[in-house]
Amino acid sequence: MTGYQASTTWSGVARRALAIALLAAAPLSAQSANPLVDPNAAKGLHFHPQGQTASQSTIALRNAEKAALPFADERDFAEAKRGFLAPLPSNTVKADAGHIAWDLESYKWLLQDKDFESIHPSLLRMARLNMNTGLYEVLPGKIYQVRGLDLTNITFVKGEKGWIVFDPLTTMEVARYALNFINDKLGKRPVTGVVYSHSHIDHFGGVRGVVDEADVRAGKTVIIAPPNFMHEAISENVFAGNAMTRRSRIQYATILRRSPFGHVDQSLGKNVSAGVPTLIAPTHVISRNLEELTVDGVKMVFHDTPDTEAVTEMNTWFPEWKAFWAAENVTATIHNIYTLRGAPVRDAANWSKQINQAIHQFPDMEVMFASHHWPRWGNARAMEVLRAQRDFYANMHSQALHLANQGVSVNQVHNIYQVPKSLQQQWAARSYHGATKNNVRGIINRYLGFWDGNPSNLDPPPSEVTGRLFVGMMGGAAPMIAKGRELNAAGRYRETAQILQHLVFAEPQNQEGRNVLADAYEQLGYQDESTSFRNSYLQLAAELRSGIAEGTAANSASPDIVSAMETGQWLDFLGISMDSRKAEGMAWTVNLITPDNGQKFKIEMSNATLTNIEGFTDPKANLTITLNRTDLTQVMLGAKSFEQLEAEGKARFEGDRRPFNELRSILTVFSPDFEIFPGTRNARQVPSTAKPFQYVVSPIGMSE
């Protein structure tokens, strides 16, 4: 057999069976409108006129790594197909707004009997495993999953009267589609329960697609979540949400063409759906480390696992079925300790310990399933995967600190740390989502911070200044570009990247230099197993060449998400949005009162800084603003202005309006289209649609 060899576990029979299943799903006619679809992907042609194929150096490295990988272990392919009941009715799902919310069609080129040299062999394997989509039976008559409609699986547990839904995807359109699909195949049943395993949006955002809030309020449907869920679901992304959105578009490459030379997979799934994210508050919050509940006749033990993959997260044990739901704590990839989108560094040691607790707390499990990928059946197989990931997180933690205590810095550790050989030979311990090089740096940063101990890095000059110095020392741009080409020809792409970044900062309009740097990034992307690294290299290569492309990203105007934001969080966000340089000389206090929820705040402008405190007001305040929180939410969404609410009699201003007008005049409306490298085309500092006082963040910045 030519192309992708049998040793990769992607047999011709398996590929043809999967292709038939996918082709059985009729494509949406509007698919051609998706700007991320690459019509030449199946032909192996690069989507960019300056794009390069895999170099000989990249191919040689790829071949060496392929030879060292455990392709003889084909169990994941069998497990990913086990329990298959029906293909998705369609590979595309439309958002209620009319655009395409989900498009699996754009990845069908992966089903070719071909070995793509521009994709790491291990990542290509995972990208093809994630093409196993449809309705699956995890435990006969009891547990089912719909896979391939979002980054996340949606799981349906069969109760006495209805479905208990675990992790209802990112957006309501795909969640609704999944519910209709399983009801059509297995019989219509009401949703009697919803479980949010943790606080990332791809695990709760589709809730309104599976349940009506009126049923929740009437007690017909229970929603269960881990401790502090509502706060954590919003808080991680409030203050740096715009920056996280931009960085997420890089890490997830959500606006990069789906192509062998572009986006191929997101490791946890194919991608993130682009519909409307929603949120309904839980009706029951877990309060103990192990808490047993019976919902719709199904007995469940919830295992609280804080500070693991999320700040708040929980596993679930089904004691009568010996089934273990691992949430996102254990999937088919090593995860992020430090995620490139930006978030506090996670606790690798505690993550390992929580997995260890599951091993010993539920030693008789016979099936392990999770919010991503496929289940593992049999006690030995489940324990094998649990131990591999337990040991990997523990090893990264202990050995990164072992090296740090010997003087290895945060800027050196990724070149020195080595994964134990036994773990390298286990597919469940491969770093598809997290990147090991990134994770060990994150561990040192968690304990020691970003400084590497070198005083030269305490107060570095701006990148533009350093860039001009480097260009001058090298005798100008031409010798730097020539050196970059020479290094690229030798396969020394990391060194090219270090040198030519200085040229781009010094001479942003030097397109030749940008292109040579993009060539280096492109090969580095082709070489990497981690989607986070691959996507980041390839997204920035595309931006260096052509700027920020247009694409369909997840909806950022979610009433549920904004409604869930605490008023104090919004006021803190105004302090971040305020340009302190324009506030010099301003001094005032404002009272904000929201009678419908009984809250009041004192807001003070002092020393060009905006602060607030809940529970207090100032009797001498310059201005008092009174409106219900439900109406304030309309301002936060950008649906109405304070003036409109005042005209409608829903907002009252008492006192001097000068503080309000001054604050509005110095608020920055953030845009996620800011440039990473100077001179990036299509970069926008201010979005055209957002309004002052509006909170804008894309859900992609709130995931994984």
Side-chain angles (χ1 to χ4, degrees):
M1 184 177 70
T2 60
Y4 202 75
Q5 298 301 311
S7 62
T8 63
T9 76
W10 188 247
S11 68
V13 173
R15 185 184 298 103
R16 284 191 294 274
L18 184 52
I20 290 169
L22 282 167
L23 289 168
L28 197 69
S29 60
Q31 181 221 340
S32 58
N34 188 345
L36 303 178
V37 173
D38 181 13
N40 293 316
K43 301 174 185 176
L45 300 176
H46 203 297
F47 57 85
H48 196 282
Q50 277 84 48
Q52 306 291 313
T53 59
S55 69
Q56 289 304 309
S57 296
T58 293
I59 293 170
L61 178 63
R62 186 182 190 277
N63 288 340
E65 295 200 6
K66 183 176 178 180
L69 288 165
F71 280 110
D73 181 356
E74 303 183 1
R75 290 175 294 173
D76 283 340
F77 280 87
E79 290 165 338
K81 293 173 176 58
R82 179 171 170 175
F84 177 75
L85 296 179
L88 297 173
S90 172
N91 292 328
T92 46
V93 179
K94 254 191 174 183
D96 291 350
H99 65 273
I100 294 174
W102 181 251
D103 180 12
L104 198 62
E105 290 285 312
S106 57
Y107 294 103
K108 284 207 311 187
W109 52 268
L110 279 163
L111 302 180
Q112 297 178 88
D113 186 8
K114 183 177 180 180
D115 191 8
F116 295 98
E117 294 175 336
S118 56
I119 307 173
H120 189 285
S122 177
L123 177 57
L124 181 58
R125 172 186 175 277
M126 175 59 83
R128 284 171 164 161
L129 279 163
N130 281 334
M131 293 295 284
N132 287 279
T133 64
L135 175 61
Y136 291 81
E137 186 177 63
V138 177
L139 204 60
K142 297 179 174 65
I143 301 173
Y144 302 87
Q145 289 186 321
V146 176
R147 304 179 202 145
L149 280 176
D150 206 330
L151 188 69
T152 311
N153 300 329
I154 183 170
T155 299
F156 295 88
V157 176
K158 191 173 184 179
E160 292 178 352
K161 298 179 180 178
W163 297 117
I164 304 167
V165 178
F166 277 65
D167 288 2
L169 308 180
T170 309
T171 59
M172 67 179 185
E173 292 94 332
V174 290
R176 181 198 306 139
Y177 189 93
L179 179 62
N180 291 338
F181 175 36
I182 193 171
N183 278 339
D184 180 62
K185 295 299 179 183
L186 300 182
K188 189 172 182 179
R189 300 169 64 84
V191 173
T192 53
V194 175
V195 175
Y196 301 147
S197 70
H198 64 284
S199 53
H200 293 153
I201 199 167
D202 52 318
H203 300 262
F204 66 80
V207 63
R208 288 189 187 273
V210 298
V211 69
D212 190 318
E213 188 171 10
D215 289 339
V216 177
R217 291 178 175 175
K220 296 179 181 178
T221 306
V222 61
I223 299 181
I224 303 168
N228 302 314
F229 171 82
M230 288 297 286
H231 177 79
E232 296 300 340
I234 305 300
S235 64
E236 182 178 86
N237 307 89
V238 170
F239 301 142
N242 187 71
M244 285 183 179
T245 297
R246 173 65 164 118
R247 292 164 66 105
S248 294
R249 289 182 181 178
I250 296 170
Q251 179 187 356
Y252 285 75
T254 53
I255 54 176
L256 189 67
R257 290 285 186 94
R258 282 102 186 247
S259 158
F261 307 102
H263 192 278
V264 303
D265 199 58
Q266 202 48 57
S267 71
L268 295 170
K270 296 314 296 180
N271 215 310
V272 182
S273 64
V276 176
T278 60
L279 176 61
I280 299 175
T283 59
H284 183 91
V285 175
I286 298 303
S287 59
R288 298 187 299 276
N289 179 51
L290 292 170
E291 183 170 332
E292 182 177 309
L293 292 176
T294 298
V295 177
D296 194 13
V298 178
K299 183 182 293 186
M300 297 175 283
V301 177
F302 295 96
H303 172 212
D304 186 23
T305 62
D307 296 317
T308 49
E309 188 270 337
V311 176
T312 181
E313 188 153 355
M314 63 184 185
N315 303 324
T316 306
W317 169 242
F318 297 84
E320 295 175 340
W321 303 340
K322 295 186 178 181
F324 177 65
W325 160 263
E328 199 172 334
N329 286 319
V330 179
T331 60
T333 175
I334 295 301
H335 215 291
N336 293 301
I337 298 302
Y338 166 61
T339 176
L340 294 178
R341 71 172 169 86
V345 176
R346 294 160 184 166
D347 189 341
N350 182 65
W351 199 332
S352 174
K353 290 179 183 296
Q354 293 290 355
I355 295 173
N356 210 14
Q357 185 177 8
I359 289 171
H360 291 85
Q361 191 72 46
F362 315 115
D364 55 344
M365 66 178 72
E366 288 298 330
V367 61
M368 177 176 68
F369 61 111
S371 57
H372 301 277
H373 303 127
W374 49 91
R376 271 48 181 253
W377 287 270
N379 182 264
R381 176 63 166 152
M383 289 297 169
E384 173 193 343
V385 173
L386 284 165
R387 290 190 179 98
Q389 296 209 359
R390 175 198 65 184
D391 294 347
F392 199 110
Y393 292 120
N395 189 271
M396 280 195 298
H397 178 266
S398 64
Q399 295 309 297
L401 294 178
H402 176 88
L403 293 169
N405 281 308
Q406 291 180 307
V408 176
S409 77
V410 68
N411 292 330
Q412 298 169 322
V413 65
H414 59 292
N415 291 316
I416 299 173
Y417 172 79
Q418 292 185 343
V419 177
K421 292 180 180 179
S422 57
L423 287 173
Q424 292 179 32
Q425 293 299 304
Q426 299 185 60
W427 289 119
R430 304 298 301 187
S431 292
Y432 300 108
H433 192 51
T436 302
K437 289 178 181 250
N438 191 54
N439 280 341
V440 292
R441 296 182 78 185
I443 289 166
I444 290 183
N445 185 67
R446 179 182 174 91
Y447 288 90
L448 298 177
F450 68 87
W451 187 44
D452 61 357
N454 180 353
S456 299
N457 296 325
L458 282 174
D459 186 19
S463 298
E464 294 81 356
V465 173
T466 304
R468 288 192 292 270
L469 282 170
F470 269 81
V471 173
M473 291 168 60
M474 290 284 289
M480 291 188 75
I481 293 172
K483 187 64 177 178
R485 293 188 191 281
E486 176 188 327
L487 291 169
N488 279 354
R492 296 162 63 182
Y493 304 111
R494 289 203 300 167
E495 293 161 69
T496 301
Q498 290 300 311
I499 292 172
L500 286 189
Q501 65 172 329
H502 296 299
L503 174 59
V504 173
F505 278 105
E507 299 181 11
Q509 304 310 315
N510 190 320
Q511 190 60 48
E512 184 181 9
R514 298 173 78 94
N515 288 344
V516 176
L517 179 56
D519 292 345
Y521 283 169
E522 192 162 57
Q523 297 301 321
L524 290 169
Y526 296 164
Q527 293 175 9
D528 214 286
E529 181 180 35
S530 165
T531 58
S532 294
F533 270 33
R534 176 188 169 92
N535 290 344
S536 298
Y537 282 129
L538 298 185
Q539 177 62 38
L540 269 299
E543 292 186 15
L544 283 165
R545 289 167 174 158
S546 302
I548 300 174
E550 297 294 332
T552 301
N555 191 319
S556 61
S558 168
D560 286 341
I561 304 300
V562 175
S563 296
M565 185 188 303
E566 299 165 9
T567 304
Q569 291 175 328
W570 174 70
L571 292 172
D572 289 341
F573 179 72
L574 292 184
I576 294 166
S577 303
M578 180 206 75
D579 189 338
S580 181
R581 295 166 296 182
K582 299 177 181 178
E584 292 291 350
M586 296 182 184
W588 38 257
T589 57
V590 172
N591 295 328
L592 175 65
I593 301 172
T594 52
D596 60 339
N597 64 1
Q599 289 186 324
K600 56 185 179 180
F601 295 84
K602 175 186 173 183
I603 308 163
E604 185 171 1
M605 176 71 80
S606 175
N607 296 311
T609 303
L610 191 70
T611 61
N612 69 86
I613 184 169
E614 183 179 357
F616 294 87
T617 56
D618 184 352
K620 298 181 180 180
N622 302 81
L623 175 66
T624 295
I625 303 174
T626 304
L627 78 168
N628 284 332
R629 169 55 207 256
T630 54
D631 294 317
L632 178 61
T633 297
Q634 297 302 303
V635 175
M636 296 162 64
L637 280 166
K640 290 190 176 182
S641 66
F642 277 105
E643 288 83 358
Q644 285 177 291
L645 292 174
E646 187 178 23
E648 295 171 3
K650 296 179 179 179
R652 186 168 70 252
F653 283 67
E654 300 173 279
D656 184 1
R657 296 182 76 103
R658 176 182 58 85
F660 174 80
N661 293 330
E662 285 186 350
L663 178 59
R664 180 169 55 184
S665 72
I666 62 173
L667 289 177
T668 298
V669 180
F670 297 123
S671 166
D673 294 326
F674 59 78
E675 61 186 21
I676 302 298
F677 288 107
T680 299
R681 290 191 288 277
N682 302 329
R684 290 180 287 271
Q685 289 298 320
V686 179
S688 59
T689 55
K691 303 171 185 177
F693 301 107
Q694 180 180 353
Y695 178 77
V696 178
V697 62
S698 171
I700 185 64
M702 303 171 71
S703 61
E704 312 313 349

